[in-house]
Amino acid sequence: MILNDRTILLTGGSNGIGRALALRFAELGNTVIALGRDETRLAEVSALSPRIHARQCDLEDAAQRVELAEWVVKEHPDLDVIFNNAAVQYRFDVTQPIDLVKAQQQLEINLLAPLHLASLLVDHLATRPKPAIVNTTSALAFTPLVEIGVYSATKAALHSLSISMRYQLRDRGIDVIEVLPPKVDTTIGAELRDDPNSTQGGMPVPELVRQAVAGLESGEQEILIGLSAQAKVDPEAIFHRLNNENTH
């Protein structure tokens, strides 16, 4: 994948991995349209580079996704990459009545939004040279972490959809690429920790971005990072390792 002089629509671009990706893509000479819900964080990330343009959007809202697609084609007709990175993560416990709001939010943002947004923009992308759709999934696409079972399931579903999208779009010249991080040191899943302002630990964000960008530049379709490679090969062993580590 060419990673200079592109126009990249990046969801979840105001925090964590997305913020770091926005800055790195800008450094490589791309125009980045960073999406997020928090206007303060968006203003902060857009101030990092004149190549980063912020756009407030709640991807949980289907109507806002439609409005976004119409806006980006009009205001950024050179759009040639969609990077579906936004996600939310909450605790899962089927032994208790589930929180439907949180479950539905994960399904909407983590799974339906990437699918919907891609479907709204494929006709435009097909007119561009070497267009691409990039989906961020997870090592949990191959084996779940029970404590965040719904989140894990959305990543497994997005992995499956990425394969289907790749097949359906193969004759339209649109590459479909999947980035599969391990646990990364961000604030996602804050409700799982005693201090909601702490990070979850894991791979440092700069290292994740380095490996993701290297995989994109080398043309990999599945960019398996850290534990993802092991989880794909031996999901049962990784399942027991992950869930035994999280039962104390």
Side-chain angles (χ1 to χ4, degrees), residues 29-230:
N30 302 284
T31 297
V32 181
I33 306 156
L35 302 183
R37 290 183 289 184
D38 188 314
E39 292 185 354
T40 300
R41 287 180 174 174
L42 285 170
E44 290 172 353
V45 73
S46 64
L48 296 174
S49 169
R51 291 184 174 273
I52 301 175
H53 306 275
R55 170 78 177 185
Q56 195 278 334
C57 181
D58 184 354
L59 291 172
E60 188 179 359
D61 185 341
Q64 289 193 41
R65 298 195 295 260
V66 172
E67 182 183 354
L68 168 68
E70 294 171 349
W71 172 86
V72 76
V73 169
K74 179 180 178 181
E75 298 298 326
H76 296 275
D78 51 355
L79 174 76
D80 40 28
V81 178
I82 304 171
F83 202 123
N84 290 306
N85 175 71
V88 293
Q89 180 188 104
Y90 300 117
R91 189 185 301 277
F92 166 77
D93 184 357
V94 77
T95 69
Q96 306 291 329
I98 66 167
D99 185 327
L100 277 176
V101 172
K102 288 183 176 179
Q104 289 169 348
Q105 187 181 46
Q106 289 174 101
L107 291 169
E108 197 73 43
I109 293 174
N110 301 3
L111 179 61
L112 294 178
L115 175 62
H116 189 201
L117 196 57
S119 72
L120 292 170
L121 291 168
V122 289
D123 285 342
H124 173 77
L125 290 179
T127 69
R128 302 292 302 157
K130 299 187 181 303
I133 298 169
V134 185
N135 295 325
T136 299
T137 62
S138 169
L140 303 181
F142 301 122
T143 188
L145 178 58
V146 172
E147 187 179 32
I148 48 173
V150 175
Y151 174 87
S152 300
T154 62
K155 293 303 184 179
L158 187 55
H159 167 66
S160 177
L161 276 172
S162 296
I163 297 170
S164 297
M165 292 166 64
R166 186 176 298 125
Y167 185 84
Q168 287 192 339
L169 296 176
R170 69 195 187 285
D171 294 329
R172 302 199 67 180
I174 302 172
D175 288 335
V176 178
I177 303 162
E178 186 179 359
V179 178
L180 298 100
K183 182 166 74 169
V184 181
D185 193 23
T186 69
T187 58
I188 193 169
E191 74 160 24
L192 304 175
R193 298 182 292 278
D194 293 335
D195 178 2
N197 295 314
S198 66
T199 62
Q200 63 174 348
M203 178 177 286
V205 172
E207 177 59 17
L208 181 280
V209 169
R210 186 192 68 77
Q211 293 194 39
V213 168
L216 291 169
E217 291 180 326
S218 66
E220 297 175 38
Q221 289 187 328
E222 283 186 0
I223 303 171
L224 300 163
I225 302 173
L227 191 68
S228 294
Q230 301 169 54

